Amino acid sequence: MIKRLLALLLFLNSTVIYAQTIKTDVLVVGSSASGVAAAIQCGRSKVKTILADDGFKISGITVADQMVSLEVNNNIASGIWGEFRNHIRENYGKTAGYDTAQNAPLKFEPGRGTSILKKISDTVKNLTVYQNAIFSNIKKDGDRWEVSLIRDGKTITVKARVVVDATETGAVAIKAGAKLREPFSNQTDNSTLKMYRTSIVAGESMPGQIHTDANSPKNNYPQYPAFTIPLNAILAGDVENILVTEKVLPAEKNIQYLPLQLQLGQGVGCAAAFCAFFKTTTKHLNVRITQGELLDFKGYLLPFGDINQTDHAWRAIQQVCATGLLRGRQQVTNGNPQFIFMPDSAVSTAEVQPVLTEIYTRAFIWFNIQKPGEKFTVGNTLSFISEITLTDPAVLNKSMAKAWKGQYKFKSDFDVNRPISRYEFAVLANRFLNPFARTVDLAGRLVN
């Protein structure tokens, strides 16, 4: 009888332990704005996600009901940030005197902003939120991380393929043995690198910077004060399948960082979802697939302010420019920075030749034979496409003449002798050459 009772107690005890151990694809620890965005994106990317909510509140606020105003990074309606911005404007749209103009500063009460983010997360399938869950410990268990959370005085064990550390201190990554990088700085001179090719965040300016002119210190491409945050900035040192959000940004943050936090969280969510979906590790992150997922959900790779998402060529321009084939320009007007694509400007041969010869093996021969002039023409573009795709030149020219204004919606007339615009070149390069499909590593280098 005693043996039977002991066996029953052991069985019940093991059942309780089992009930407190949960498996998931991604666990997000820390309910900062970036953490909430990461969890939302993971769920939307169709991987099972848990958010350990330790009490979410939009940061940088001292008085709960004061109206705040976002002055920077407000114009690039990237992904979840753009979604949040639209909800705010809808909420305040009928308020007397409230400015809903596209470039107006975004004003809202922090409590309402917090409520909006929570409502967005509530609509996401595959996302479970554990309220009042405090991080306790993390250790490796096979191909998963085993994370201990304290909730209502009880320990919950979550086994996840990927863990996102969205805490302000980086406590999860540090506990896992990671040596965290310095916070991202857009004033570092990385001019010899091509990290922009791996961008997951596009910013107009870092909060608190003094806006000067386009000749200020360079940060790779685009130039300061516009910037991009590369994919490798979110990796937790040599520790695999742990990604960080808040520790990427400066420690002293205020409400002006909210657009960047939401963009960064979304980018991290895409990377985490990639690792979980393909059952791989951060060591094998595929830059282009991760960026493609971000673009699918309207996230920007480069902060072009003159090409709206409603433009049918928006994605083509983002993809082509992420290869460096075409580059934008920094423009500062009355102290306000804007990074522009200049869609109607002519394409110069000097700009596109280096990247074309880097990506396509036959490009060197083509340039030596054709010897295009200073301005790249429509005819040059079609000739190059013909060379790379092995399409008969006459057939290609004839089909393009028919599709020029109908299918591609170009405004200028079809004329092989005139310089091609940057807009036209981006659309055709993306459609026929697809440079974005070339694999790049986390340093932005082409992989053969």
Side-chain angles (χ1 to χ4, degrees), residues 147-382:
V147 182
S148 298
L149 304 172
I150 306 299
R151 189 185 188 198
D152 299 328
K154 298 178 181 178
T155 299
I156 300 173
T157 300
V158 180
K159 292 186 177 183
R161 289 190 180 279
V162 185
V163 176
V164 174
D165 182 344
T167 67
E168 293 186 0
T169 60
V172 181
I174 293 171
K175 192 78 171 179
K179 185 178 179 180
L180 298 179
R181 296 178 171 89
E182 291 295 317
F184 170 82
S185 171
N186 74 319
Q187 297 187 60
T188 302
D189 184 4
N190 292 322
S191 53
T192 60
L193 304 178
K194 296 180 178 178
M195 302 298 289
Y196 62 86
R197 287 177 168 173
T198 74
S199 168
I200 56 169
V201 176
E204 298 167 296
S205 175
M206 288 290 275
Q209 286 181 341
I210 298 174
H211 302 147
T212 56
D213 58 32
N215 296 317
S216 296
K218 295 179 180 179
N219 172 48
N220 201 5
Y221 161 72
Q223 291 184 345
Y224 163 87
F227 66 96
T228 61
I229 296 180
L231 189 57
N232 73 357
I234 67 175
L235 304 181
D238 295 329
V239 178
E240 294 187 358
N241 281 17
I242 291 186
L243 302 171
V244 296
T245 61
E246 289 297 296
K247 288 296 288 182
V248 174
L249 300 173
E252 297 297 325
K253 289 184 284 292
N254 55 43
I255 192 63
Q256 301 303 323
Y257 279 90
L258 182 62
L260 293 182
Q261 288 174 301
L262 294 179
Q263 287 188 68
L264 180 61
Q266 185 170 15
V268 171
C270 289
F274 171 85
C275 293
F277 183 83
F278 290 102
K279 296 180 174 59
T280 187
T281 69
T282 46
K283 184 179 180 180
H284 302 288
L285 266 174
N286 185 296
V287 174
R288 293 308 190 210
I289 292 178
T290 302
Q291 291 177 317
E293 184 76 353
L294 186 58
L295 289 168
D296 285 345
F297 288 92
K298 302 301 182 182
Y300 279 64
L301 305 182
L302 291 163
F304 292 127
D306 56 347
I307 298 295
N308 195 280
Q309 282 182 342
T310 57
D311 193 303
H312 77 280
W314 174 80
R315 180 163 184 155
I317 291 169
Q318 288 284 318
Q319 292 186 166
V320 167
C321 292
T323 70
L325 188 52
L326 292 176
R327 297 194 173 197
R329 184 182 71 192
Q330 183 71 49
Q331 176 178 284
V332 181
T333 305
N334 298 324
N336 297 315
Q338 187 180 40
F339 192 66
I340 56 175
F341 174 66
M342 303 169 293
D344 298 325
S345 298
V347 173
S348 70
T349 299
E351 180 178 19
V352 297
Q353 183 172 353
V355 179
L356 288 176
T357 52
E358 180 188 11
I359 296 177
Y360 307 102
T361 55
R362 296 200 300 278
F364 180 79
I365 298 173
W366 184 89
F367 276 99
N368 279 341
I369 294 174
Q370 299 297 326
K371 294 181 173 55
E374 180 183 352
K375 299 297 183 183
F376 216 65
T377 66
V378 173
N380 292 148
T381 305
L382 297 182

Side-chain angles (χ1 to χ4, degrees), residues 47-63:
V47 295
K48 189 177 179 182
T49 307
I50 291 175
L51 170 62
D53 182 353
D54 55 2
F56 173 62
K57 179 182 178 183
I58 290 178
S59 62
I61 306 305
T62 54
V63 181

